[in-house]
Amino acid sequence: YGGALVSQVNRFLQANEQFDDVVIFDYLEGFSRIVLSAGILFVIARPLGILIAIWAPIFVIAVVLSSMKKAHITRAASTADSNVIAFISDAITNMVTIKTFARSGLETKNFNVVSADRYTKRFRSFRFNAHIRDFRWVLALAFFIIYIFLSIHLVVLGSISPASMIAGQIYVFTILNSLLSLHQVIQRTEQLFADSAELTDVLDKKPELEDPVSPEVPRIKEGLIEFQSVNFTYPGTTKKVFDNLN
């Protein structure tokens, strides 16, 4: 429990420290580049500016929705991290105390199970990220193909000049690069929320027990603990750790 709590607190603090940096330096900077480039593109070639104004929100919404769909997978992977750290702490404590004579093999076996569960959940999160990246590139490629055909069509019609078409491509590449980078920022934000979720749930949980209106003052008469004929055996083994302890 102590190892898991330390891990959760550390991830919670780091997530909150990094969140401000993500908002200020990543989101604001990325959106500023996109808006500025889209504005210039709108001046150079209005139809192309309208195209990017329609497609960019669609791209951002699609990425946000896919990240929201993946949120529970990311959180499960973060929880598995805490479980591994908690089990390591517990196993080390057990193997260097009285359990070392009866539990070292079982502790190792159980740790392998917990570690394998963490690997499975982390790999699932990684695989989902790969699908989102592929989907992102498909959207970007589809937009670029539409943009090229629309640009050529406008040049043929005489609506824009070839120089405007070439200049527009520079700003389109800037917008595409900013949007692709924004996808990584959204994934990072999702990970920050997942890292802070465990401790946030604990802090938001209301206590089940309420303090009495007029509590009685506890009075300790004797500080003695007595053991009489105590026997203890771990499940799955016949070897007694305590045998008729008094």
Side-chain angles (χ1 to χ4, degrees):
Y1 173 79
L5 184 60
V6 170
S7 174
Q8 292 170 8
V9 170
N10 287 338
R11 287 209 304 268
F12 177 82
L13 294 177
Q14 291 174 3
N16 281 272
E17 290 175 356
Q18 296 176 21
F19 188 76
D20 292 338
D21 294 338
V22 169
V23 172
I24 296 174
F25 297 106
D26 293 331
Y27 280 111
L28 291 181
E29 181 181 352
F31 279 120
S32 297
R33 286 200 303 265
I34 293 172
V35 172
L36 183 60
S37 299
I40 296 175
L41 183 63
F42 188 82
V43 173
I44 294 175
R46 180 169 296 182
L48 300 180
I50 294 175
L51 175 63
I52 198 68
I54 295 174
W55 178 82
I58 294 176
F59 180 88
V60 173
I61 292 173
V63 171
V64 170
L65 291 178
S66 60
S67 296
M68 291 174 61
K69 186 176 180 180
K70 176 182 169 287
H72 71 283
I73 299 177
T74 306
R75 179 168 179 176
S78 296
T79 302
D81 289 339
S82 297
N83 293 339
V84 169
I85 295 175
F87 199 93
I88 290 177
S89 302
D90 185 57
I92 292 175
T93 302
N94 292 341
M95 288 190 293
V96 298
T97 55
I98 195 168
K99 295 182 180 181
T100 189
F101 301 105
R103 292 275 287 187
S104 58
L106 186 58
E107 294 289 348
T108 303
K109 179 181 178 180
N110 290 340
F111 172 75
N112 291 335
V113 173
V114 175
S115 181
D117 178 68
R118 174 184 178 272
Y119 171 81
T120 300
K121 292 177 178 177
R122 275 296 172 192
F123 181 75
R124 185 185 179 192
S125 177
F126 172 80
R127 187 172 57 185
F128 204 111
N129 277 337
H131 293 328
I132 295 177
R133 285 194 297 269
D134 294 340
F135 176 66
R136 175 194 66 177
W137 282 108
V138 169
L139 286 178
L141 181 61
F143 165 77
F144 191 70
I145 293 175
I146 295 174
Y147 171 82
I148 292 297
F149 277 102
L150 180 60
S151 299
I152 296 175
H153 180 69
L154 292 174
V155 171
V156 172
L157 293 178
S159 300
I160 63 174
S161 64
S164 297
M165 174 184 172
I166 296 174
Q169 288 184 3
I170 297 175
Y171 293 103
V172 166
F173 281 125
T174 301
I175 294 172
L176 285 176
N177 181 62
S178 299
L179 288 172
L180 294 176
S181 299
L182 186 62
H183 165 252
Q184 298 176 349
V185 177
I186 292 174
Q187 283 191 325
R188 183 183 175 192
T189 305
E190 175 207 343
Q191 184 64 55
L192 293 178
F193 277 115
D195 288 341
S196 61
E198 288 181 284
L199 194 59
T200 301
D201 290 342
V202 174
L203 296 175
D204 291 341
K205 187 176 182 180
K206 296 181 179 180
E208 298 178 357
L209 299 178
E210 296 183 359
D211 294 332
V213 179
S214 301
E216 295 183 5
V217 179
R219 296 180 178 86
I220 301 176
K221 296 182 179 179
E222 296 182 4
L224 300 177
I225 299 177
E226 184 177 356
F227 294 93
Q228 292 183 353
S229 302
V230 177
N231 297 283
F232 183 81
T233 303
Y234 284 106
T237 179
T238 58
K239 185 175 181 180
K240 291 185 177 181
V241 179
F242 297 120
D243 187 5
N244 198 27
L245 177 66
N246 294 291

